[in-house]
């Protein structure tokens, strides 16, 4: 069964450093998402991506964040200068159509020291 | 704006007893509603969805959910809970992006 994959599973970085979180969505899906979950809190939407551009972003997704689909398979989230409060689990998700369910990857735990 | 609420932080049931996890929603237009489950250190797994049609939706692992438009609810149910159902459950509404509830921790004791 096809699945969304994410690498790395855990990333530790120093405050102010850049990090890139990687995702491989399900191959025939057209809509891509990033969410985050701060420990003990609910899952929050960050950004959606369709047709090679951002379709919607939340207030969390400020200028420090960017997304890219550099080739036909990868979908990346970049945080330019990490802050302590960026520590969270980051989930990638993809969806085939507009009303179907989103399929989530296992997540990347980002720890900013 | 859309939102979902899960009024219970925790639900505790004995194995073999019915399990209900509550969710209410507030959306404009027709609601697309979902339930996801999260096991420790794992991603979110899709359980079931309501898009349109029958108000009783059947999903994975014996779970079902009842859509109630008048009460704006979408409660998750399982007739006979298993210890392995112990996990964190999220209700979500879809308006192109998913808006999640705060989650309900389910503990099923043997």
């Amino acid at each position: 069964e096809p699945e969304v994959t994410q690498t790395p599973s855990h990333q530790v970085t120093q405050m102010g450093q850049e990090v890139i979180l990687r995702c491989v969505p399900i191959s025939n899906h057209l809509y891509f998402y990033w969410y985050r979950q701060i420990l003990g809190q609910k899952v929050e939407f960050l950004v959606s991506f369709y047709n090679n551009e951002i379709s919607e972003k939340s207030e969390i997704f400020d200028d420090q964040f960017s997304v890219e689909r550099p080739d036909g398979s990868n979908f990346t989230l970049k945080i330019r200068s990490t802050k302590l409060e960026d520590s969270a689990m980051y989930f990638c998700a993809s969806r085939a159509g507009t009303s179907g369910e989103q399929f989530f990857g296992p997540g990347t735990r980002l720890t900013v020291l | 704006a859309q939102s979902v609420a899960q009024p219970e932080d925790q639900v505790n049931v004995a194995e073999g007893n019915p399990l209900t996890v509550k969710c209410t929603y507030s959306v404009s237009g027709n609601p697309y509603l979902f339930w996801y489950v999260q096991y420790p250190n794992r991603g979110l797994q899709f359980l079931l969805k309501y898009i349109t049609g029958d108000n009783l939706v059947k999903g994975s692992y014996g779970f079902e959910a009842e859509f109630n438009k008048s009460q704006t609810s979408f409660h998750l149910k399982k007739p006979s809970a298993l210890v392995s159902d112990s996990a964190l459950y999220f209700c979500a509404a879809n308006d192109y992006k998913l808006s999640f509830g705060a989650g309900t921790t389910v503990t099923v004791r043997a």
Side-chain angles (χ1 to χ4, degrees):
Chain A
E1 184 175 334
E3 58 183 15
V4 177
T5 59
Q6 290 185 243
T7 54
S9 57
H10 191 187
Q11 174 91 47
V12 181
T13 189
Q14 296 291 324
M15 188 170 56
Q17 295 295 304
E18 174 183 287
V19 294
I20 297 177
L21 310 183
R22 303 181 190 280
C23 169
V24 179
I26 295 173
S27 62
N28 63 341
H29 285 189
L30 301 176
Y31 300 84
F32 313 111
Y33 304 83
W34 283 102
Y35 294 82
R36 79 171 186 190
Q37 183 182 31
I38 295 173
L39 187 64
Q41 299 185 22
K42 67 174 166 181
V43 179
E44 301 173 290
F45 167 77
L46 289 178
V47 66
S48 58
F49 193 86
Y50 170 71
N51 200 25
N52 286 320
E53 61 182 20
I54 291 173
S55 45
E56 189 170 352
K57 59 184 180 180
S58 72
E59 293 176 354
I60 303 167
F61 195 88
D62 61 22
D63 292 344
Q64 293 300 313
F65 290 87
S66 63
V67 290
E68 197 175 38
R69 188 156 162 81
D71 52 42
S73 60
N74 291 285
F75 181 50
T76 62
L77 174 69
K78 180 193 291 186
I79 309 175
R80 288 191 203 16
S81 179
T82 51
K83 303 186 285 287
L84 295 176
E85 53 265 38
D86 293 328
S87 295
M89 182 74 89
Y90 288 81
F91 293 106
C92 173
S94 69
R95 181 171 63 175
T98 56
S99 62
E101 63 270 26
Q102 294 182 24
F103 291 86
F104 284 77
T108 293
R109 181 171 298 283
L110 176 65
T111 302
V112 183
L113 302 176
Chain B
Q2 59 180 14
S3 65
V4 295
Q6 294 179 244
E8 300 164 317
D9 293 334
Q10 291 198 336
V11 170
N12 298 305
V13 298
E15 189 172 36
N17 282 0
L19 169 64
T20 298
V21 186
K22 295 180 181 178
C23 173
T24 59
Y25 66 89
S26 174
V27 302
S28 54
N30 294 323
Y32 294 168
L33 301 168
F34 300 80
W35 276 100
Y36 285 83
V37 61
Q38 184 180 30
Y39 297 99
N41 300 313
R42 300 283 296 278
L44 296 160
Q45 295 181 34
F46 168 75
L47 280 179
L48 50 79
K49 66 181 177 184
Y50 173 83
I51 304 297
T52 186
D54 289 340
N55 290 340
L56 185 63
V57 179
K58 294 190 181 297
S60 307
Y61 313 119
F63 283 95
E64 57 189 29
E66 186 170 9
F67 172 72
N68 188 316
K69 188 173 183 178
S70 63
Q71 296 184 6
T72 62
S73 67
F74 189 56
H75 301 331
L76 181 70
K77 299 180 181 182
K78 186 169 184 179
S80 179
L82 302 172
V83 172
S84 57
D85 294 328
S86 298
L88 181 57
Y89 291 79
F90 290 100
C91 181
N94 183 28
D95 178 19
Y96 191 71
K97 65 181 184 293
L98 284 175
S99 296
F100 285 88
T104 299
T105 299
V106 170
T107 302
V108 182
R109 60 186 184 277

